[in-house]
C-alpha cells in the first residue's frame, strides 16, 4: 500500500530552536531598547550598589569596590516578555553570590526588591538570585554596557523575563515578604518564568 503523498502531508515545518521558550521569536542581531522610565545619566564614579534589609551586614559598594569582587560572566540567552529572545549573549560583571557572601541575608529574608536610579522597582524571590543564577553586569560583548541597556550597571537574571533584570540598579533590599514592583503592580507576573509563559498575573 503506497504511503501518503507530499500534498496530503503539506509542507515540512522548520524545526523550532529548542532554546526558544513558547511564544518567543529569535530577534537575531538586534537588541530592542525598552524602558518604562526616563533614562538616567550615571557616571561610574558616582554609581554605587547597596544591599540592605534583612541582612546581617548591610553593605554599599562603589565602582571600584564592586570591581574588586571576583569577576564572573554569563554566556547564554535572554528573553523579553514582549516575545523576543536573543541567543548567545555575553555579559561580564560579578555574580550576586559574591554580594550575598558579604551581606549575609538572614533566614527570614526570602525576597528581594531591586531598585534602579530611575526609581524603577522589581521583586524577585531570593532563590532566583543565588546559586550562580544572577549577576551585576557592566559589559556586553566585551564593551561597556550602554546607558540605553542599563549602563553603567544592570541586574541580569537571564532565566526570567528581562523586565526582572533591572537597569541602572543601585539597591537590593532583602525582604521577609514579597512586595510587588512597578510592572508587577501593573499586571505582570510576580516571577516571570519564560518557559512557563508567566507573563501576567494569573498565569500559572
Amino acid at each position: 500500500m503506497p504511503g501518503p503523498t507530499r500534498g496530503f502531508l503539506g509542507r515540512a515545518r522548520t524545526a523550532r530552536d529548542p532554546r526558544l521558550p513558547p511564544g518567543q521569536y529569535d530577534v537575531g542581531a538586534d537588541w530592542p531598547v525598552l524602558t518604562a522610565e526616563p533614562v538616567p545619566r550615571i557616571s561610574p564614579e558616582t554609581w554605587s550598589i547597596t544591599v540592605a534589609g534583612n541582612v546581617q551586614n548591610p553593605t554599599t559598594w562603589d565602582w571600584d569596590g564592586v570591581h574588586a569582587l571576583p569577576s564572573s560572566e554569563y554566556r547564554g540567552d535572554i528573553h523579553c516578555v514582549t516575545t523576543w529572545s536573543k541567543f548567545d549573549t555575553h555579559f561580564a560583571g560579578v555574580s550576586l553570590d559574591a554580594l550575598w557572601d558579604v551581606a549575609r541575608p538572614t533566614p527570614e529574608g526570602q525576597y528581594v526588591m531591586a531598585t534602579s536610579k530611575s526609581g524603577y522597582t522589581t521583586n524577585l524571590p531570593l532563590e532566583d538570585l543565588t546559586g550562580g543564577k544572577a549577576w551585576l553586569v557592566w559589559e556586553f560583548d566585551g564593551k561597556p554596557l550602554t546607558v540605553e541597556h542599563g549602563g553603567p550597571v544592570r541586574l541580569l537574571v537571564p532565566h526570567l523575563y528581562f523586565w526582572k533584570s533591572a537597569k541602572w540598579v543601585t539597591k537590593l533590599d532583602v525582604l521577609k515578604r514579597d512586595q510587588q514592583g512597578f510592572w508587577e503592580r501593573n499586571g505582570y507576573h510576580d516571577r516571570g518564568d519564560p518557559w512557563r509563559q508567566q507573563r501576567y498575573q494569573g498565569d500559572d
Side-chain angles (χ1 to χ4, degrees):
M1 183 176 183
T5 65
R6 180 178 176 182
F8 182 80
L9 290 175
R11 293 179 179 270
R13 294 184 179 180
T14 303
R16 182 178 176 83
D17 193 309
R19 297 174 295 175
L20 205 59
Q24 299 289 113
Y25 73 93
D26 177 7
V27 77
D30 293 336
W31 186 3
V33 175
L34 302 171
T35 57
E37 67 275 13
V39 176
R41 300 292 169 175
I42 311 166
S43 68
E45 293 77 18
T46 62
W47 175 87
S48 65
I49 182 76
T50 297
V51 176
N54 287 267
V55 296
Q56 298 177 47
N57 183 34
T59 306
T60 297
W61 292 264
D62 62 10
W63 182 258
D64 291 335
V66 80
H67 278 71
L69 297 171
S71 61
S72 184
E73 297 182 347
Y74 170 73
R75 294 177 182 268
D77 311 327
I78 57 177
H79 311 287
C80 181
V81 72
T82 60
T83 73
W84 60 261
S85 292
K86 186 171 179 63
F87 296 146
D88 301 320
T89 65
H90 176 205
F91 291 90
V94 60
S95 171
L96 283 193
D97 292 326
L99 280 68
W100 304 134
D101 287 346
V102 175
R104 302 196 305 277
T106 66
E108 294 82 11
Q110 297 295 315
Y111 298 93
V112 172
M113 182 70 77
T115 302
S116 300
K117 179 70 172 181
S118 62
Y120 175 83
T121 56
T122 190
N123 56 303
L124 304 105
L126 179 59
E127 183 179 5
D128 280 316
L129 301 178
T130 58
K133 297 192 291 289
W135 292 259
L136 294 179
V137 294
W138 46 79
E139 286 187 7
F140 175 73
D141 278 352
K143 298 179 181 179
L145 191 65
T146 63
V147 64
E148 292 80 7
H149 286 300
V153 180
R154 76 176 297 156
L155 186 61
L156 178 67
V157 192
H159 67 285
L160 300 180
Y161 282 126
F162 219 50
W163 90 81
K164 293 292 185 177
S165 296
K167 298 179 179 182
W168 317 297
V169 66
T170 58
K171 192 173 185 182
L172 300 172
D173 278 305
V174 180
L175 310 173
K176 293 181 180 180
R177 292 175 293 277
D178 199 10
Q179 299 178 21
Q180 292 182 325
F182 175 82
W183 282 120
E184 295 79 16
R185 292 193 302 270
N186 284 278
Y188 278 31
H189 198 277
D190 284 331
R191 182 157 183 263
D193 183 339
W195 295 97
R196 298 177 64 181
Q197 297 195 76
Q198 292 176 336
R199 302 178 188 274
Y200 306 110
Q201 295 290 335
D203 292 341
D204 292 338

